[in-house]
Amino acid sequence: MYKINRLDDFGRGVTSIDNKTCFVFNALEDEEVDVLVTSEKSKYLSGESKSIKNLSADRKKAECPYYFECGGCNTMHMKYQKELDFKLNKVKSILKRFSNLDNVIKEILYGKEFNYRNKVSLKVKNGVLGYYQDKSNDVIKIDKCLLVKEKINEVIEKLNSLNLNSLKEVIIRVNYKDEVLIGLIGDNIGKEYFKSNLNSKNIVIVDNSKREIICGNDYIIDRIGDLLFKVSLESFFQVNYQEVLSLYNKVLDYASLKGNENILDLYCGTGTIGMFLSKKAKNVFGIEINEKAIEDANYNKELNNIKNIDFLCNDVSKVKNKFKDIDLVVIDPPRAGLDKNAIKNVLDINSKKIIYVSCDPVTLARDLNILKDKYEVKEVTLVNMFPNTYHIESIALLESK
């Protein structure tokens, strides 16, 4: 038996076996664990707990029957408060380690633990619908996922009653009115079969790389707060309604807009944050390299009758000379954060304030460490956008020195 000393950034227990660090799935601090080593590298081991002594008071039984096979969730063996504490302490440690920032985290915002996701991507192999097994390409059959909206689970139940041998992947999205959009990806898909057997108004088939709408539209209209958004099959759109609204309200709070500000929204995607801020700003300029996202952003602008926002399809690393007198820069980059050119251009824009929204605390801390030479990191708020996983969203407020 090995004593677990702490948790790593992925929620795994950390112990030592034969003078090597070992990361153990399904283990909590101070528990004594019988470890099955599943992987051995030159400097560390990975394993899983086979039996546990001195169960932690923070432990609970994982509700999902697939938890120990599926790689989708990581923290379901923790009580919810423990998950929140783990994430808070993790980001504190990362900010200290990579950017020497102390006592900047204000709070962690959180909502419901289950049934929060409005989108799911499921794999199909040999007619079996489900998720990939952890660290494998084998598919675990899923009858119900605890993370997704119940309307999605109804679609999963129906799909499991059908012949899926022609499919490779299924994408299911629902909106705030529980309208469903289904994407079927595969080869030689029986269009009429799925059209007649799936009770959905909106079905898209991607067959041999050819995209075809066989029923309804290839998008649904979704809502955040009082704004409407076009969401197509592949659109990036936050999967957790409740917490994305919490996040956007915090961005609005940090912005402290008076109505005369010019805002630059970098990595704007389909325009969600920029449109949310536009209600209280003078002008908003959104920059995004993905052409389809910009197309959707302009659609969303018209859908909401917003006149003071403009979208530009461009690389963030090339925008510094196009905008002057910017009061606020909002950054919501991909997981990799800002590259060297992008961060230099953000500094050259010389705005009074920066709001940095991040889905990866390590790249956030790395970038803040550069930005803090010119900007003071006033505070950081965390948002538990993805309960039962180790992922956490962060919002950092920076003000010019």
Side-chain angles (χ1 to χ4, degrees), residues 13 16 67 106 130 165 174 191 202 204 218 245-246 261 279 282 334 337 348 391 393 400:
S16 180
Y67 180 57
K106 180 185 178 184
N165 283 317
V174 298
K191 300 170 190 174
N202 308 293
V204 178
D218 63 349
L245 187 56
S246 297
E261 293 87 357
K279 297 178 288 184
K282 180 181 178 182
D348 287 346
H391 298 290
E393 205 88 3
S400 175

Side-chain angles (χ1 to χ4, degrees), residues 12 76 101 121 174 194 240 242 328 337-338 344 352 362:
R12 299 174 299 182
M76 200 178 281
L101 289 168
S121 297
V174 298
F194 286 105
N240 187 331
Q242 180 181 358
L328 167 65
L338 304 176
K344 181 179 184 302
K352 299 170 186 173
V362 173

Side-chain angles (χ1 to χ4, degrees), residues 236-251:
F236 174 79
F237 192 78
Q238 292 284 8
V239 299
N240 187 331
Y241 288 126
Q242 180 181 358
E243 295 319 304
V244 74
L245 187 56
S246 297
L247 188 152
Y248 288 1
N249 279 328
K250 180 52 69 174
V251 170

Side-chain angles (χ1 to χ4, degrees), residues 79-209:
K79 291 180 179 177
Y80 196 28
Q81 186 58 52
K82 173 61 179 175
E83 178 188 319
L84 297 173
D85 291 342
F86 152 67
K87 291 180 176 181
L88 185 64
N89 291 329
K90 160 180 154 174
V91 181
K92 278 183 180 178
S93 173
I94 289 170
L95 290 176
K96 176 63 177 175
R97 198 158 74 238
F98 293 103
S99 53
N100 199 30
L101 289 168
D102 262 330
N103 303 316
V104 293
I105 298 179
K106 180 185 178 184
E107 61 182 332
I108 180 167
L109 306 175
Y110 62 94
K112 61 194 295 188
E113 191 175 358
F114 298 107
N115 302 121
Y116 62 85
R117 289 190 64 96
N118 56 37
K119 178 194 175 186
V120 68
S121 297
L122 297 164
K123 304 301 179 183
V124 184
K125 192 170 185 179
N126 299 322
V128 175
L129 177 75
Y131 295 129
Y132 280 140
Q133 189 174 10
D134 191 28
K135 300 180 181 66
S136 167
N137 285 327
D138 293 333
V139 172
I140 301 167
K141 183 177 183 294
I142 297 293
D143 296 312
K144 181 179 183 178
C145 176
L146 297 180
L147 301 193
V148 304
K149 296 282 189 180
E150 283 299 342
K151 192 69 177 179
I152 292 179
N153 280 321
E154 291 176 18
V155 178
I156 291 173
E157 182 180 10
K158 181 60 181 178
L159 283 164
N160 277 327
S161 70
L162 303 179
N163 183 341
L164 306 179
N165 283 317
S166 62
L167 301 182
K168 295 178 180 176
E169 185 178 0
V170 177
I171 299 171
I172 310 166
R173 306 192 83 133
V174 298
N175 66 5
Y176 70 106
K177 295 195 290 186
D178 266 355
E179 294 172 333
V180 179
L181 171 62
I182 301 174
L184 306 173
I185 297 98
D187 299 322
N188 303 312
I189 299 172
K191 300 170 190 174
E192 292 303 318
Y193 173 75
F194 286 105
K195 183 177 180 180
S196 60
N197 282 285
L198 282 176
N199 183 26
S200 176
K201 294 180 180 178
N202 308 293
I203 304 175
V204 178
I205 278 182
V206 182
D207 192 337
N208 293 311
S209 300

